[in-house]
DNA sequence: CCCGTTGTTGTACAGATGTTCAATAACCAT
DNA sequence: ATGGTTATTGAACATCTGTACAACAACGGG
């Protein structure tokens, strides 16, 4: 049963899909802020009233696109442990490793979102989604470390690497990013030198 | 000599200051997106044309506010090492520790920015600022770890903690956050259990 | 203090936004 | 296929945006 709640009117499905595709097409050409609702509906060949019948504003339309992407993103994170009970360090990092695969798989879409300057929003949503499942579904053996703060720290760090990878235009290979993540997690700060002036 | 570049016309200083204060006042009451330029100038008692004489849009006005905040933010990060040459681990974390002081000192402003939904933008700008100075001014002894990726990872992680603290309404004390940061940096992932269903 | 420079104002305009409404068309269940 | 329901349309409206311009006011150097 693929339909989740109430089966939607075909007209609604058509309209929303056309609006989403129109927005994505425009976003591959210009900044999200520079796109007007009028522009979206004319590109999609719908009436402006139809837009407002389904969405409050263009952010809501973008959210629709992003939410679908995040569902797939979460699935890639869950994949390594959904049939397991206990992880050791190598298996844990395998979680994050799968995420790099997901991103590379949807490189074009992520690049469009980057080009259109909506990454900060996407990042925030991805953080919330990742935090929720990692607090619900994982358990860290901590000794005096606040578990929530640890999760927040780790997830933001991971997302930082991922979005940098997208911003760099996928300069590095997927496996290089995966390697580096593992190295960084195992890295211990010992001594940091201040560079000389100049 | 406090004036940096060209000495500004007093009218300009007055106008820009009034506009910034008006925006901040409005942001403490509603979302940034919900604030119109017309609203800002009427609250500040200026003509709409004056706004456009100084700023392209309201984002540019917000940037003015944020840039000033980031200058202070950076100063708090630099403070621990600006007259030193080499750090050990405790001194390094002292950098970040000073940041918590800065945030707590400007708690009201950060809370206003949070309430008005501009945190993702602020976060991005702070990341770029921190990355620039930590790449320029610090040097990590790495063994196979990409230095840029390490900086990106660490900075995003730190900012994650900081903004969570703001979002929580400063529930925890400054010293608790500082303690936890040190604990987390020293934490090593060993084994992570998946929770039982339900 | 005076005058050239620069900022501010009021007004105007085309386009976008957000909302409402009645008329029409497309849908789904029976 | 028919009818009740719901989506889409076009039109209209007040408000906001971004831009332009001439008239006026405030500034700062000499």
């Amino acid at each position: 049963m693929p339909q989740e709640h109430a089966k939607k009117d075909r007209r609604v499905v058509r309209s929303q899909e056309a609006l989403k595709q129109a927005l994505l097409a425009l976003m591959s050409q210009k900044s999200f802020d520079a796109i007007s609702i009028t522009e979206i509906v004319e590109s999609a060949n719908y009436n402006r009233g139809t837009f407002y019948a389904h969405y409050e504003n263009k952010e809501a339309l973008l959210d629709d696109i992003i939410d679908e992407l995040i569902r797939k993103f979460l699935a890639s994170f869950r994949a390594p442990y959904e049939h397991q009970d206990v992880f050791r360090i190598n298996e844990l990092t395998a979680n994050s490793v799968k995420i790099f695969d997901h991103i590379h798989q949807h490189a074009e879409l992520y690049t469009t979102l980057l080009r259109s300057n909506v990454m900060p929003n996407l990042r925030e949503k991805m953080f919330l989604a990742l935090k929720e499942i990692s607090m619900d579904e994982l358990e860290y053996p901590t000794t005096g470390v606040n578990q929530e703060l640890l999760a927040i720290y780790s997830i933001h760090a991971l997302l930082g690497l991922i979005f940098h990878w997208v911003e760099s235009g996928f300069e590095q290979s997927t496996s290089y990013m995966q390697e580096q993540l593992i190295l960084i997690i195992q890295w211990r700060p010992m001594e940091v030198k201040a560079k000389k002036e100049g």
Side-chain angles (χ1 to χ4, degrees), chain A:
Chain A
M1 288 112 192
Q3 60 254 50
E4 299 151 359
H5 303 287
K7 38 198 147 185
K8 274 197 210 158
D9 193 309
R10 285 175 182 181
R11 290 169 294 181
V12 175
V13 177
R14 254 188 279 134
S15 304
Q16 292 186 345
E17 202 53 44
L19 291 172
K20 282 193 269 184
Q21 290 312 315
L23 176 56
L24 275 176
L26 289 167
M27 281 205 296
S28 72
Q29 291 166 349
K30 54 164 85 176
S31 158
F32 179 74
D33 293 325
I35 298 169
S36 73
I37 291 175
T38 301
E39 209 170 355
I40 297 170
V41 295
E42 286 188 354
S43 158
N45 267 305
Y46 276 84
N47 189 277
R48 206 157 55 85
T50 302
F51 180 96
Y52 285 107
H54 299 296
Y55 302 103
E56 264 199 17
N57 46 44
K58 49 184 181 141
E59 279 74 19
L61 176 56
L62 179 62
D63 282 353
D64 231 20
I65 295 170
I66 285 181
D67 287 349
E68 192 182 325
L69 186 58
I70 288 187
R71 273 201 304 279
K72 295 176 190 167
F73 172 83
L74 288 186
S76 77
F77 179 80
R78 275 199 178 100
Y81 69 87
E82 71 180 336
H83 296 306
Q84 277 182 274
D85 251 30
V86 177
F87 300 96
R88 303 209 148 268
I89 165 67
N90 292 335
E91 300 165 24
L92 170 67
T93 55
N95 279 14
S96 314
V97 154
K98 281 288 175 188
I99 288 186
F100 285 106
D101 287 334
H102 160 86
I103 301 285
H104 195 259
Q105 209 175 319
H106 298 86
E108 198 182 317
L109 178 50
Y110 281 102
T111 302
T112 296
L113 294 172
L114 169 73
R115 278 236 178 69
S116 209
N117 279 96
V118 297
M119 285 313 229
N121 292 294
L122 178 58
R123 183 202 201 82
E124 184 81 359
K125 284 181 170 282
M126 286 201 167
F127 167 74
L128 291 172
L130 261 190
K131 187 190 166 194
E132 194 183 339
I133 74 168
S134 75
M135 293 299 290
D136 282 0
E137 301 175 8
L138 298 181
E139 199 170 68
Y140 299 80
T142 58
T143 55
V145 179
N146 181 319
Q147 212 169 110
E148 186 185 11
L149 293 184
L150 175 57
I152 290 168
Y153 183 95
S154 308
I155 294 170
H156 271 117
L158 173 63
L159 290 176
L161 280 194
I162 289 172
F163 282 95
H164 166 76
W165 190 39
V166 178
E167 280 162 31
S168 78
F170 301 95
E171 251 179 29
Q172 316 282 8
S173 71
T174 305
S175 56
Y176 179 80
M177 293 303 293
Q178 293 168 339
E179 268 172 44
Q180 285 292 317
L181 174 63
I182 294 170
L183 284 175
I184 290 172
I185 289 178
Q186 288 168 347
W187 179 81
R188 268 296 78 103
M190 294 302 292
E191 185 177 74
V192 175
K193 298 182 183 181
K195 292 187 179 176
K196 308 257 172 191
E197 286 291 316

